Amino acid sequence: MLELKDISVQLDGDAGKVRILQNINLSLENKKIYVLTGPNGGGKSSLAKTIMGIYQPESGQILLDGEDITHKEIFERARLGIGYAFQQPARFKGIKVQEFLNLAAGDNRSADACDLLFDVGLCAQDYLNREINASFSGGELKRIEIASVLARDLKVAIFDEPEAGIDLWSFQKLVETFQNINNKYDTTIMIISHQERIIRLADQVIIVDGGKIGGITSQDKILGEIEKFDSDCRCRRNCSIGGRAIADCHR
């Protein structure tokens, strides 16, 4: 459905051009959940932004349902059915939730604001006529943003660390929201996350490190590797109680 072939991306840095992605090859299938994980600064958000068109590749090809979208602008990709939810949802002063969702739906006549809010775990009666402002919690804003993404009937929905800045209770609701989306919609979901409960949603886990695909694996395998890494650390107890400096620990 979505294919990236030998994608490389360079951006301007203080010392000249910096390559942030190198020879990315990736295929995402319809109605599956993919979780991008890996070290900070490894290129996860850069990869997502390249799919959305925020970054333009220097080489390679991006195909959506066989159509070459490599050089299409952000708005063109949005019209073709790709959506992006940032870590921090945008705030629109003076606009109510109902108006926001109607704007997001655009020409999608099948979108119903009440159903959309229900799908993300919010009661329409409590939210439709509320203005989107500082009175909303981080979790509420996140779920309203997800509802706006669903309103567009997307082929590919990208979520950049959706758990950022929300509490544990909202986080559990967020996990349930992604499960509901996957059950109800045909959308391919890509989530950038380091959280175990998000990783457990994945049909496949994509490891991004150093601007490259470090591996594509199952949730069980990567969680097993993380658990093994923890158990292999001989000084974990000392580190956790501050008994020795981490630099003094030896495997």
Side-chain angles (χ1 to χ4, degrees), residues 87-224:
Q87 288 186 29
Q88 297 299 326
R91 296 175 185 262
F92 299 91
K93 186 176 180 180
I95 188 171
K96 294 182 179 179
V97 172
Q98 171 86 64
E99 298 167 331
F100 178 60
L101 295 178
N102 289 344
L103 287 171
D107 295 331
N108 181 16
R109 303 293 182 184
S110 63
D112 180 85
C114 293
D115 289 341
L116 291 168
L117 290 176
F118 179 81
D119 288 341
V120 298
L122 297 177
C123 177
Q125 185 175 351
D126 295 336
Y127 287 90
L128 280 179
N129 292 316
R130 283 181 63 183
E131 185 177 315
I132 302 175
N133 54 32
S135 68
F136 282 92
S137 70
E140 288 172 323
L141 282 173
K142 190 71 69 172
R143 281 187 274 169
I144 288 169
E145 182 187 37
I146 293 172
S148 73
V149 171
L150 296 178
R152 295 178 49 209
D153 191 24
L154 296 174
K155 294 179 180 179
V156 180
I158 304 168
F159 299 92
D160 193 346
E161 297 194 28
E163 70 275 9
I166 64 174
D167 57 48
L168 290 174
W169 293 269
S170 295
F171 181 60
Q172 179 56 38
K173 288 292 185 182
L174 187 68
V175 172
E176 294 171 2
T177 294
F178 285 123
Q179 291 172 323
N180 292 337
I181 293 171
N182 188 233
N183 291 333
K184 183 173 180 179
Y185 297 88
D186 291 330
T187 304
T188 297
I189 300 172
M190 174 184 280
I191 309 172
I192 299 172
S193 181
H194 303 282
Q195 293 291 333
E196 178 182 340
R197 279 185 286 178
I198 296 290
I199 291 174
R200 288 195 181 279
L201 297 173
D203 292 297
Q204 285 189 322
V205 179
I206 302 167
I207 302 167
V208 184
D209 186 9
K212 300 178 181 179
I213 300 297
I216 300 175
T217 186
S218 67
Q219 53 171 279
D220 291 335
K221 186 172 182 179
I222 190 156
L223 291 172

Side-chain angles (χ1 to χ4, degrees), residues 1-4 48-53 62-65 67 69-70 72-85 149 152-158 187-188 190:
M1 179 183 165
L2 179 69
E3 294 180 88
L4 283 74
K49 290 176 180 178
T50 301
I51 293 171
M52 190 66 243
I62 303 175
L63 303 175
L64 180 65
D65 290 338
E67 179 181 353
I69 64 169
T70 310
K72 290 189 179 296
E73 299 292 338
I74 298 172
F75 72 91
E76 293 176 304
R77 299 186 195 206
R79 287 173 180 170
L80 289 172
I82 301 178
Y84 191 107
V149 171
R152 295 178 49 209
D153 191 24
L154 296 174
K155 294 179 180 179
V156 180
I158 304 168
T187 304
T188 297
M190 174 184 280

